[in-house]
Amino acid sequence: MGAAQDKLVDGLYGLGWAGVKKLPEPAAVALGRRIADFAWKRRGKSVLRLESNLARVVPDAGPEQLRELSQAGMRSYMRYWMESFRLPTMDPKRFGTDVEFQDEHLLREALDSGRGVVVALPHLANWDLAGAWAIGHMGAPFTTVAERLKPETLYDRFVAYRESLGMEVLPHSGGAAFGTLARRLRSGGLVCLVADRDLSASGVEVDFFGSTARMPAGPALLAQQTGAVLLPATLHYGYTPKMYGRIHPEVEVPKAGTRAEKTTAMTQAVADAFAWGIARHPEDWHMLQRLWLDDLEERTQ
């Protein structure tokens, strides 16, 4: 991406943050749907990749059902953006009414244990809204990691936005994030990580909807190294403005095996929890990139 294009992209996102949050909620919802349908009808690379990914999640779906799913998926994806642009101006009281988690007591009990908690989530529905719920409703500020975006000014906008919600945001690159996360956990803190796509090429191979994918080892390694509770969580949208989620049972560290074997087993358990949630609400899974190894290998050939 050249300097001029970087500036254009950053400017467009800046307009989104500045403009959408001023719209009445129904207008923002309608705008998001129009943008989603426009993008879906263009059948660009991201839409086709989403459709290809959904074909693995719903293997019995025919072409027409996949097209309907991908349209619903793009609408869900744009709902994420419209909500995210508006989040900093939302009344925090809404996080307790607009977001409902099944088995939220598992998170509360883990936080009360003082062991530290790692919550691992996939790209389902709105993970930023879930984070705002944890801070505003549960009273649990947390630390997370963000992928460095191009241009750098866009990354800075994302960090500033998430920090405005009360999150501590660490850059994914640089190598220092793991140590900081471990320190937060040892002091009894909360760490939330989006963990269904490996960004390091050194992740753990897991079976995911019948094929091999690679997912980050970080959540399992942090739990092993610090003694923290590892809890997968999944999300899905209801009718605007509701979002629902589930806190899944703790993924415990196996008693036997090498560190690598334990990490693989724990990461597979996290992937299984993700698959449970994605299979039930595939339209809310915002995976517009290649994920499975055979898709990644195909790109490099």
Side-chain angles (χ1 to χ4, degrees):
M1 208 182 268
Q5 191 174 355
D6 283 356
K7 190 173 182 179
L8 175 61
V9 170
D10 182 52
L12 289 172
Y13 277 100
L15 284 173
W17 261 297
V20 173
K21 66 184 178 183
K22 296 178 182 178
L23 291 175
E25 190 165 330
V29 171
L31 176 62
R33 177 165 287 213
R34 285 198 296 271
I35 294 172
D37 287 349
F38 175 77
W40 179 77
K41 287 175 183 175
R42 291 186 65 193
R43 308 289 290 164
K45 289 182 179 179
S46 294
V47 173
L48 295 177
R49 175 51 50 191
L50 174 63
E51 223 162 81
S52 175
N53 290 339
L54 289 171
R56 294 183 186 260
V57 174
V58 191
D60 295 332
E64 186 61 30
Q65 185 182 353
L66 280 176
R67 284 176 63 86
E68 290 174 0
L69 265 179
S70 66
Q71 182 177 30
M74 291 303 295
R75 288 177 174 179
S76 176
Y77 183 53
M78 287 311 303
R79 175 175 170 177
Y80 161 79
W81 281 108
M82 294 296 110
E83 286 180 348
S84 294
F85 288 146
R86 294 172 54 80
L87 263 180
T89 62
M90 282 179 61
D91 183 349
K93 293 178 182 177
R94 289 186 57 179
F95 302 143
T97 57
D98 293 355
V99 181
E100 293 182 20
F101 267 88
Q102 178 184 345
D103 295 329
E104 73 172 74
H105 70 278
L106 294 175
L107 176 56
R108 176 67 68 192
E109 291 165 3
L111 290 168
D112 290 345
S113 73
R115 291 170 53 194
V117 183
V118 181
V119 174
L121 307 96
H123 287 84
L124 271 172
N126 193 333
W127 46 98
D128 285 324
L129 178 56
W133 170 85
I135 295 167
H137 176 65
M138 299 286 284
F142 63 89
T143 304
T144 189
V145 174
E147 177 184 1
R148 280 202 175 277
L149 301 170
K150 293 273 178 91
E152 193 73 18
T153 50
L154 178 57
Y155 171 78
D156 292 339
R157 284 183 185 272
F158 270 96
V159 170
Y161 150 64
R162 287 179 171 141
E163 288 180 341
S164 75
L165 299 175
M167 309 176 193
E168 179 187 20
V169 183
L170 307 175
H172 181 272
S173 59
F178 189 91
T180 302
L181 295 174
R183 287 193 293 275
R184 299 293 182 269
L185 292 168
R186 289 193 181 99
S187 64
L190 173 63
V191 166
C192 296
L193 300 171
V194 180
D196 57 344
R197 179 168 170 256
D198 179 54
L199 296 174
S200 66
S202 61
V204 176
E205 291 187 4
V206 296
D207 178 82
F208 198 54
F209 291 102
S211 298
T212 303
R214 189 181 293 118
M215 294 191 180
L221 289 172
L222 284 166
Q224 289 181 65
Q225 187 163 312
T226 68
V229 180
L230 173 54
L231 297 174
T234 52
L235 310 167
H236 72 275
Y237 277 134
Y239 290 110
T240 303
K242 296 290 287 189
M243 186 178 78
Y244 300 91
R246 179 189 175 192
I247 305 295
H248 294 256
E250 177 183 358
V251 174
E252 297 183 352
V253 179
K255 292 183 171 56
T258 65
R259 184 182 185 186
E261 289 169 344
K262 292 177 181 179
T263 301
T264 296
M266 295 174 73
T267 306
Q268 182 65 62
V270 170
D272 291 344
F274 290 174
W276 182 92
I278 292 167
R280 281 159 179 76
H281 300 279
E283 70 282 359
D284 288 329
W285 189 40
H286 307 154
M287 186 55 66
L288 280 67
Q289 301 85 16
R290 297 173 189 265
L291 178 70
W292 282 272
L293 294 193
D294 50 3
D295 288 335
L296 293 168
E297 291 164 358
E298 177 185 303
R299 182 177 61 182
T300 60
Q301 289 174 354

